[in-house]
């Protein structure tokens, strides 16, 4: 592991067992609903530049009543038990469900950072149950970029720090391609099942899946935009204050210089230097990380919407062509 | 004396309370004594000086007495306290002491106290037994007195040498004190002996001077403020103790006795002075009278009661004529307001005097004069402004005023007026007109106020209230009579007439005229009750109001009376559903503009009027007007307070007791209250009828504003309910009805608004219940139809009006008119198909998704603007101030970038607007917009306010450019000038330029203005 830690990008590809996917879906079905989010631990191994996720287990939902519940303890217990039954027990990340793709948040950033800080190859799997329910499995793996890792390590979220690191919302997360792999036996089983299945083809391929989805996305997007506006206003205020103070400082020093010059001509000793920084306390700069996250989230929503609309447009064209063909 | 206040806690010892009883009595008793002694004028001149001295000294002796008492019971803390008071009192009387020398009794107490303390100090065992407080007090007191006595060493030494000499003098005092203390024992025997003693001790002059305490009180009160308070307290306690059973009789007797004898002696003394030169015989008679009085004082007590002593008001054989009576009257009046004067007795005296003058046929003039004074002293009876008259007093007062009016009516030779001077009065001669000083109007006004006070202080749910309210008839009767009196020529000035008219109006305006109402309804009322019809022969209150108010409008010169009259007039109109008159009067009076400068009672009246106006509008079906009228009162949530119908509890911390008292005095009596639930219900229902269709119409409008905050609040409260049961309260009913209406379900809405519960709670309170209910049903149907069309128009391609008619049970023309109105107002994108009687939807309303997209676009616009501002700031600060030369090129490039972005955004916006498809009118607008960038922005603003931000942006940009241009050279400025034009208006550009005019960074200045505007704008939108 230590040798791997030095690699630039320890994980180039992720290979997920079908079991893991099913377990995640099941977890959400059973426990998550609406905006609630479910989370769990991923287990697996790193093989060359490929991360193989072979198993997972959910974090238990715990209410506020049992506050003394020890999550770490639970995880350790769980992993030990898994080890006993000879399952991969190496912690390689975590998964989380999402509501209309709204997952870019401070909490996610923080926990992913701590994961990645402790275990280099950690990933976070984002599972979108709503999109999945529409027919296409939506599962994405993300890692923090090395740049972001650095910033998080230094905890420098000021505007200057971010500028120095040359980080934008595009460079915060990197997506890692996913491959779902099943064992041959399962594949065989699948074939067999498909042969036997009597279920009629009810593929709703041309379903535009209503505008509900789009509306929801827009709603969320709007909320984010509002947040963004607020942040910008905050930042504006800050910079205005800053510039005002800069001017004051400037004036002060100038006055001081003039006075000193006068004193010199009169042969008096110059006034003692005072600590300017003490006199002018710079205003608290607003943390920029949140803005960045919001931007990332907005970007995410946009991607979603784009994807959704392009699919729908495709379907529309398809339908049109079919209609034309029929008539 | 101030000791009373210092220790004025519940834990007063018995002793001190007994001391309280003594002190107030003392002046009264000494009063009698003194009157006998003053025999020549010399005494009179000395009065002031002596009394001041004696007053001080008595204060001191009282204190000394309590100290001695405390010494006896070894109460050291009490001793200390009293001693400190004594020192203070002594300091106060320093001027007198300087003149007269240190009084021996003072030295005596000092010496005694020191001895006593030393003795105690030596007594180690006793000291141990003392409790902690006492021991502490002892040591402090000892130290104090040591220090204090140093100043009086010589005097104390001389006293110690010869204690007897000083003690002699002291004896006298003690005697007096014991006398006064025995007085408080309430035992008749004691009192008798006391009286005797008084006559016995009448000789020594020092005692005599004591008396003047009462008389001289006024002079000395300026120097000693405490005393006055003290007085009122004692008198209150006196009157209170009168109520006590058992004791009370003897007390009262005691009292009467004293006053009567006091009166006797006083009179006799006066007469003596007056007629000293005339006759010795008279003097003898008078002495006899005196003796008799004395005898009486010692003798049977029964005699004292009732009229017996009052007959004695005049000496036997005195010719009772006007002058004598007037003298007597003045005499009685002089005691008015003074300490120790018994007000009840005074009233009795005045009554007696009136009887005497009646018996002796002294004429109406004097009677009127006495009546005036009786009424005045009745009002005086309660020294406290907040307290209200007792029932018997009140009855007496009413009777008196009635009698007075009788006299005035029967005898039109009597002139009364405030302006008649005391000496120009003519009370005696029958030949001329009587002239009497006094103002009956003021008395009646005061009576009216007393009535209000009584009503305020009665529990509104008791039988007592009803009984009291019955007096209103009498009050009104008196006012009516007074009105008739003043209306007579030469009796009252216009000003007075206005005042009395206002009183009349105040008693009329809030009463619903049922008789007139019934008459207006037609015959069926008359057939029902014949006698009622006869009764209602009297003028309609509307006519009366009209006549009185118009007189006031024409004649009044004080603004307040006119304002009140207008408000009452409006109220009366509104109460009787004369909406247009009421509204016009309100609008013409322009009271809304300046009512905030009026005094609180008028403001309360104004609020009441507005509320009544709103309710009237509601009854008439003017929902919008009703809502507007009630908005101010209801939105604050303090309707109760604003209408003067109760105090809010939450204000308790904010106001002190004094303010609370004032506020309590402003409260409107219960029988004039406006039902608050009715008020709220009317408001909420009006809000519902306005708000629900509005909400339906603007469901997706981001800038939608609330019509009624309170209504929304209620809705939210309703939504928050975890479990929704059937509605109970009025509010719940309205909320439930609103929900039904939102769905266009008018039947449910109707059943929620009009049902048994609501009828009994609200609707039955209206005089024309049925009409109101019918109006409401109709309104609900109409508004539900509108709501339905707003909400579901997107579902329909077309809808038959016939169907709508059936759904909402409205007539076809009504449906037709409502839909037409909606189409004209561009609320509904549809057209009417005449032959088939259907509404064809144009389907131009954006879907919710489109709406959302529009909203998003708007928000993004805001975001872009904000973002630009960040950049502008940078430009301004760094480019404009620090190194503008170097950054010039960069800035220009940036400017280009900005402009591009903006342009594209605008186009987008324009596109949206064009897609907005609000009918042909807007299409044209769109076309207009397409003409040019600059105008496009302006057009955006015009259309839906969405462009306002852009304009704002333009402003902002201009500001920047103005600043930047100013410093960065002409060529650039010119280029940007074009931009400024595009931004939409030279004025804005000018503004920006101004902002950038200063040396300190043009960008900054311009930015500030723009930013502020933008922020406000945004704020408003969110709201």
């Amino acid at each position: 592991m230590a040798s791997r830690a030095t690699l630039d990008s320890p994980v180039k590809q992720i290979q997920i067992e079908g079991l893991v996917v099913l377990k995640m879906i099941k977890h959400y079905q059973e426990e998550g609903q609406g905006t609630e989010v479910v989370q769990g631990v991923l287990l697996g191994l790193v093989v060359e530049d490929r991360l193989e996720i072979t198993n997972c287990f959910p974090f238990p939902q715990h209410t506020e009543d049992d506050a003394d519940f020890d999550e770490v303890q639970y995880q350790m217990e769980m992993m030990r038990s898994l080890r006993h039954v000879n399952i991969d027990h190496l912690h390689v990340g975590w998964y989380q469900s999402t509501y209309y793709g709204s997952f870019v948040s401070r909490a996610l950033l923080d926990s992913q950072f701590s994961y990645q800080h402790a275990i280099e190859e950690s990933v976070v799997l984002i599972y979108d149950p709503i999109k999945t329910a529409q027919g296409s499995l939506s599962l994405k793996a993300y890692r923090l970029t090395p740049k972001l890792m650095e910033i998080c390590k230094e905890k420098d979220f000021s505007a200057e720090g971010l500028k120095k690191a040359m980080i934008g919302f595009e460079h915060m997360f990197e997506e890692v391609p996913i491959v779902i792999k099943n064992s041959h036996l399962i594949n065989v089983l699948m074939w067999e099942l498909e042969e036997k299945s009597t279920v009629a083809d009810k593929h709703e391929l041309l379903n535009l899946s209503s505008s509900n989805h789009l509306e929801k996305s827009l709603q969320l997007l709007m909320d984010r935009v509002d947040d963004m506006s607020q942040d910008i206003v905050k930042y504006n205020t800050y910079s205005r204050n800053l510039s005002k103070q800069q001017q004051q400082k400037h004036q002060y020093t100038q006055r001081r210089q003039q006075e000193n010059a006068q004193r010199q001509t009169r042969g008096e000793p110059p006034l003692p230097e005072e600590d300017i920084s003490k006199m002018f306390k710079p205003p608290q700069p607003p943390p920029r990380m949140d803005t960045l996250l919001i931007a990332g989230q907005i970007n995410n929503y946009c991607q979603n919407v784009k994807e959704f609309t392009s699919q729908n447009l495709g379907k529309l064209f398809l339908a049109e062509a079919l209609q034309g063909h029929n008539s | 004396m101030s000791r009373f206040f210092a220790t004025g806690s519940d834990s007063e010892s018995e002793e001190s309370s007994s001391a309280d009883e003594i002190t107030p009595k003392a002046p009264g008793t000494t009063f009698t004594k003194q009157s006998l002694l003053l025999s020549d004028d010399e005494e009179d001149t000395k009065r002031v000086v002596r009394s001041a001295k004696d007053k001080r000294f008595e204060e001191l002796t009282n204190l000394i007495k309590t100290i001695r008492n405390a010494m006896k019971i070894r109460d050291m803390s009490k001793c200390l306290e009293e001693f400190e008071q004594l020192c203070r009192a002594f300091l106060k009387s320093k001027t007198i002491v300087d003149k007269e020398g240190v009084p021996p009794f003072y030295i005596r107490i000092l010496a005694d106290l020191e001895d006593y303390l030393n003795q105690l100090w030596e007594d180690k065992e006793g000291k141990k037994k003392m409790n902690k407080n006492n021991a502490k007090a002892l040591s402090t007191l000892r130290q104090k007195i040591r220090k204090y006595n140093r100043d009086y060493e010589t005097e104390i030494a001389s006293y110690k040498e010869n204690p007897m000499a000083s003690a002699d003098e002291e004896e006298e005092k003690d005697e007096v004190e014991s006398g006064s203390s025995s007085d408080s024992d309430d035992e008749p025997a004691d009192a008798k002996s006391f009286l005797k003693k008084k006559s016995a001790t009448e000789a020594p002059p020092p005692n005599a001077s004591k008396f003047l305490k009462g008389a001289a009180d006024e002079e000395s009160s300026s120097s000693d403020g405490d005393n006055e308070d003290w007085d009122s307290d004692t008198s209150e306690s006196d009157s209170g103790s009168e109520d006590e059973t058992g004791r009370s009789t003897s007390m009262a007797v005691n009292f009467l006795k004293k006053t009567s004898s006091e009166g006797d002696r006083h009179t006799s003394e006066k007469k003596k002075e007056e007629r000293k030169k005339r006759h010795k015989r008279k003097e003898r008679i008078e002495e006899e009278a005196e003796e008799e009085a004395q005898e009486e004082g010692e003798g049977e007590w029964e005699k004292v009661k009732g009229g017996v002593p009052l007959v004695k008001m005049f000496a036997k054989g005195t010719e009772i004529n006007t002058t004598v009576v007037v003298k007597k009257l003045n005499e009685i009046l002089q005691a008015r307001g003074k300490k120790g004067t018994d007000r009840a007795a005074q009233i009795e005296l005045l009554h007696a005097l009136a009887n005497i003058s009646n018996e002796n046929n002294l004429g109406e003039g004097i009677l009127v004069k006495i009546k005036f004074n009786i009424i005045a002293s009745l009002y005086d009876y309660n020294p406290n402004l907040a307290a209200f008259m007792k029932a018997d007093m009140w009855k007496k007062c009413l009777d008196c005023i009635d009698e007075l009016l009788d006299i005035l009516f029967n005898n039109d030779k009597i002139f009364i007026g405030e302006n008649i001077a005391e000496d120009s009065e003519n009370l005696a001669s029958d030949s001329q007109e009587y002239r009497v000083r006094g103002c009956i109007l003021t008395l009646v006004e005061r009576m009216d106020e007393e009535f209000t006070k009584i009503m305020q202080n009665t529990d509104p749910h008791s039988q007592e209230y009803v009984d009291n309210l019955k007096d209103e008839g009498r009050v009104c009767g008196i006012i009516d009579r007074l009105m008739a009196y003043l209306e007579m020529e030469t009796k009252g000035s216009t000003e007075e007439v206005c005042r009395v008219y206002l009183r009349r109006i105040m008693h009329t305006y809030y009463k619903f005229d049922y008789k007139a109402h019934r008459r207006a309804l037609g015959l069926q009322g008359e057939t029902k009750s014949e006698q009622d019809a006869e009764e209602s022969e009297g003028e309609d209150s509307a006519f009366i109001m009209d006549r009185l108010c118009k007189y006031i409008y024409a004649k009044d010169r004080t603004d307040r009376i006119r304002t009140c009259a207008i408000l009452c007039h409006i109220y009366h109109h509104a109460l009787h559903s004369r909406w247009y008159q009421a509204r016009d009067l309100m609008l013409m009076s322009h009271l809304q503009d300046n009512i905030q400068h009026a005094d609180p009672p008028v403001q309360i009246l104004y609020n009441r009027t507005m509320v009544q106006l709103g309710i009237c509008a509601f009854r008439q079906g003017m929902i919008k007007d009703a809502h507007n009228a009630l908005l101010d009162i209801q939105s604050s949530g303090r309707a109760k307070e604003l209408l003067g119908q109760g105090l809010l509890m939450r204000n308790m911390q904010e106001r002190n007791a004094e303010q609370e008292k004032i506020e309590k005095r402003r409260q409107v009596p219960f029988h004039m209250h406006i039902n608050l639930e009715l008020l709220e219900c009317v408001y909420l229902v009006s809000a519902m009828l306005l708000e629900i269709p509005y909400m339906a119409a603007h469901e997706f409008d981001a800038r939608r504003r609330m019509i009624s905050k309170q209504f929304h609040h209620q809705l939210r409260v309703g939504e928050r309910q975890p479990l929704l049961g059937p509605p109970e309260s009025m509010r719940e009913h309205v909320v439930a009805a609103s929900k039904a209406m939102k769905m266009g379900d008018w039947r449910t809405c109707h059943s929620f608004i009009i049902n048994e519960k609501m009828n009994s709670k609200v609707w039955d309170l209206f005089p024309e219940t049925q009409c109101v209910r019918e109006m409401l049903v109709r309104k609900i149907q109409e508004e539900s139809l509108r709501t339905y069309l707003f909400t579901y128009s997107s579902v329909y391609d077309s809808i038959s009006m016939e169907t709508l008619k059936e759904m909402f049970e409205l007539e076809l023309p009504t449906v037709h008119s409502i839909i037409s109105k909606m189409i004209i107002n561009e609320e509904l994108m549809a057209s009417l198909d005449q032959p088939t009687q259907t509404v064809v939807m144009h389907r131009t309303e954006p879907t919710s998704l489109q709406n959302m997209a529009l909203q998003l676009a708007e928000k993004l616009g805001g975001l872009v603007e904000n973002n630009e501002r960040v950049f502008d700031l940078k430009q301004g600060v760094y480019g404009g101030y620090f190194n503008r030369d170097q950054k010039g090129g960069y800035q220009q490039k940036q400017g280009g970038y900005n402009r591009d972005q903006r342009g594209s955004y605008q186009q987008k916006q324009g596109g949206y607007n064009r897609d907005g498809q609000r009918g042909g009118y807007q299409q044209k607008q769109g076309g207009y917009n397409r003409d040019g960038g600059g105008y496009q922005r302006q057009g955006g603003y015009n259309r839906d306010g969405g462009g306002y931000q852009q304009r704002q942006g333009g402003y902002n940009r201009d500001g920047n450019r103005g600043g930047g241009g100013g410093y960065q050279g002409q060529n650039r400025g010119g280029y940007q000038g074009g931009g400024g034009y595009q931004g939409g208006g030279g004025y804005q550009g000018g503004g920006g330029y101004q902002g950038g005019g200063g040396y300190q960074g043009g960008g900054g200045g311009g930015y500030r203005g723009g930013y502020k505007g933008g922020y406000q704008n945004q704020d408003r939108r969110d709201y």
Side-chain angles (χ1 to χ4, degrees), chain B residues 523-578:
Chain B
L523 289 169
Q524 77 270 34
E526 274 171 77
T527 51
K528 229 183 259 169
S529 51
E530 288 289 332
Q531 72 269 39
D532 261 14
E534 270 167 42
E535 266 178 35
S536 62
E537 282 306 296
E539 246 183 323
D540 271 7
S541 64
F543 290 122
I544 299 173
M545 285 295 288
D546 210 45
R547 186 168 62 83
L548 302 184
C549 288
K550 277 182 178 151
Y551 183 85
I552 290 179
Y553 301 154
K555 297 284 165 79
D556 176 57
R557 261 180 254 106
T558 65
D559 222 20
R560 191 177 184 275
I561 291 179
R562 189 171 43 230
T563 309
C564 287
I566 291 175
L567 288 172
C568 292
H569 204 178
I570 297 169
Y571 189 103
H572 194 260
H573 276 317
L575 195 63
H576 294 85
S577 299
R578 292 189 291 273

Side-chain angles (χ1 to χ4, degrees), chain A residues 14-289:
Chain A
I14 293 171
Q15 183 179 311
I16 307 177
E17 283 280 328
L19 172 75
V20 175
V21 177
L22 287 176
K23 267 177 114 172
M24 278 193 296
I25 292 172
K26 185 161 167 274
H27 183 197
Y28 178 81
Q29 292 285 6
E30 281 168 359
E31 287 184 23
Q33 59 198 212
T35 50
E36 245 173 72
V37 168
V38 297
Q39 293 176 328
V41 175
L42 297 174
L43 302 170
L45 263 180
V46 180
V47 181
E48 287 162 5
D49 61 351
R50 195 176 68 228
L51 176 67
E52 293 184 357
I53 301 172
T54 52
N55 213 328
C56 69
F57 62 88
F59 287 145
Q61 300 283 76
H62 61 95
T63 49
E64 271 153 35
D65 302 336
D66 40 26
D68 53 342
F69 178 79
D70 192 351
E71 229 165 83
V72 180
Q73 183 69 26
Y74 171 80
Q75 284 180 32
M76 298 315 270
E77 285 281 321
M78 198 69 190
M79 277 193 276
R80 202 170 303 132
S81 310
L82 287 171
R83 188 180 179 180
H84 285 313
V85 290
N86 213 8
I87 293 174
D88 282 335
H89 59 272
L90 290 177
H91 208 151
V92 292
W94 57 302
Y95 69 87
Q96 191 199 322
S97 72
T98 173
Y99 179 71
Y100 286 108
S102 55
F103 61 88
V104 186
S105 67
R106 192 64 191 250
L108 182 114
L109 178 73
D110 286 345
S111 55
Q112 179 58 19
F113 168 71
S114 57
Y115 267 106
Q116 225 165 304
H117 192 61
I119 306 158
E120 173 84 51
E121 65 270 15
S122 293
V123 293
V124 54
L125 273 184
I126 303 291
Y127 161 64
D128 191 337
I130 292 161
K131 231 189 248 179
T132 310
Q134 281 165 3
S136 55
L137 177 67
S138 164
L139 202 59
K140 286 190 172 141
Y142 290 99
R143 285 172 54 79
L144 298 186
T145 54
K147 276 182 196 165
L148 194 63
M149 282 300 288
E150 227 141 86
I151 289 170
C152 287
K153 244 181 239 163
E154 282 159 27
K155 300 247 179 283
D156 177 18
F157 297 132
S158 66
E160 280 74 31
L162 293 180
K163 207 160 117 191
K164 206 167 66 198
M166 295 285 280
I167 195 157
F169 65 89
E170 311 93 331
H171 310 303
M172 287 168 69
F173 295 96
E174 55 180 355
E175 199 184 331
V176 190
I178 294 176
V179 177
I180 299 178
K181 184 178 176 284
N182 287 323
S183 71
H184 298 302
L185 280 175
I186 290 174
N187 282 337
V188 170
L189 181 69
M190 294 282 277
W191 279 109
E192 206 175 315
L193 281 175
E194 201 165 310
E195 294 260 297
K196 280 182 184 169
S197 96
T198 53
V199 183
D201 288 305
K202 275 213 295 188
H203 297 305
E204 296 186 5
L205 277 178
L206 293 180
N207 186 7
L208 294 180
S209 66
S210 82
S211 59
N212 195 22
H213 184 91
L214 211 50
E215 265 176 43
K216 271 271 153 50
S217 301
L218 276 179
Q219 192 83 57
L220 290 164
L221 183 55
M222 250 187 284
D223 291 348
R224 290 300 103 192
V225 169
D226 277 346
D227 290 348
M228 189 71 153
S229 288
Q230 265 176 19
D231 261 17
I232 288 176
V233 168
K234 252 187 238 162
Y235 183 71
N236 254 332
T237 325
Y238 159 72
S239 8
R240 201 154 38 105
N241 287 343
L242 193 69
S243 71
K244 216 190 279 171
Q245 206 175 49
Q246 215 95 42
Q247 277 171 16
Q248 279 174 351
K249 218 191 242 179
H250 190 74
Q251 277 176 351
Y252 176 78
T253 41
Q254 269 190 341
R255 224 183 306 132
R256 210 10 108 74
Q257 272 171 4
Q258 277 177 354
E259 213 167 299
N260 273 345
Q262 276 180 350
R263 276 170 164 271
Q264 239 168 11
T265 53
R266 276 180 286 166
E268 290 170 35
L271 288 171
E273 282 293 316
E274 282 168 46
D275 194 3
I276 289 182
S277 61
K278 242 183 214 165
M279 291 174 65
F280 299 100
K281 258 202 190 112
Q284 192 65 38
R288 299 302 295 157
M289 201 58 201

